[in-house]
Amino acid sequence: DRDTDKKRIEELLEENMVLEIAQKQSMNESAHLGWELEQLSKSTDLADSEKSFVFELNECASSRILKLEKDNQSLQNTIQELRDASLTSRESSLKFVELEKENQQLSKKIEKLQNQIEKEKQSNQDLETLSEELIKDKEQLQVIMENLKADKDRQVQASQML
């Protein structure tokens, strides 16, 4: 039993390292997305870049949630295996408690990410609406400018005729 417990602990430690690596990759992806956001904000074509950014942001967030859910499921499976094996050693009990805590933390992270996605979706919808309004305002101003220019041209022609 102790040998199997030790092997299981080593497997769980390896799994934990994999999760830490995934977390670091996720943080790197977040930093990269921040850089992309900065680049997109400098773009002159706000409407197109905003839509592609929204799509990429949603895709990335969904991907991270799926990864966390997969990790969460893996931890739940590990916890169930430990329960089924009815391991009584102290190390196994401690590892079980650690896995439960990790599982809870991942669940909280998933919930936070889902809330963040909802907030970002709302923010993106607000930005999209604002962008559409600005485009309409721009079009109206162009029509007004064209009318003013036509009026000015008529006045100039009228004054030249006098």
Side-chain angles (χ1 to χ4, degrees), residues 63 78 82 125:
S63 173
T78 304
L82 288 174
Q125 287 176 348

Side-chain angles (χ1 to χ4, degrees), residues 77-91:
N77 290 339
T78 304
I79 289 168
Q80 189 60 43
E81 288 174 12
L82 288 174
R83 282 183 184 153
D84 293 343
S86 301
L87 299 175
T88 58
S89 74
R90 186 175 190 163
E91 291 176 354

Side-chain angles (χ1 to χ4, degrees), residues 6 28-29 37 43 60 80 89 113 120 128 136 148 157 159:
K6 286 181 183 179
N28 287 340
E29 289 175 7
L37 172 61
S43 174
C60 182
Q80 189 60 43
S89 74
L113 282 172
E120 288 174 357
E128 211 171 302
K136 287 178 184 177
L148 288 173
Q157 287 177 352
S159 66

Side-chain angles (χ1 to χ4, degrees), residues 1 14 16 39 46 59 62-63 71 73 77 79 88 90 102 105 122 133 144 146 161:
D1 285 344
E14 287 178 23
N16 192 25
Q39 296 302 314
L46 180 63
E59 286 293 316
S62 297
S63 173
D71 293 342
Q73 185 64 38
N77 290 339
I79 289 168
T88 58
R90 186 175 190 163
E102 268 187 73
Q105 289 173 348
Q122 183 60 44
E133 289 174 5
I144 291 171
E146 289 172 6
M161 291 178 85

Side-chain angles (χ1 to χ4, degrees), residues 48-59:
D48 289 330
S49 64
E50 178 185 299
K51 288 178 184 174
S52 67
F53 170 72
V54 168
F55 178 76
E56 287 180 33
L57 185 63
N58 287 337
E59 286 293 316

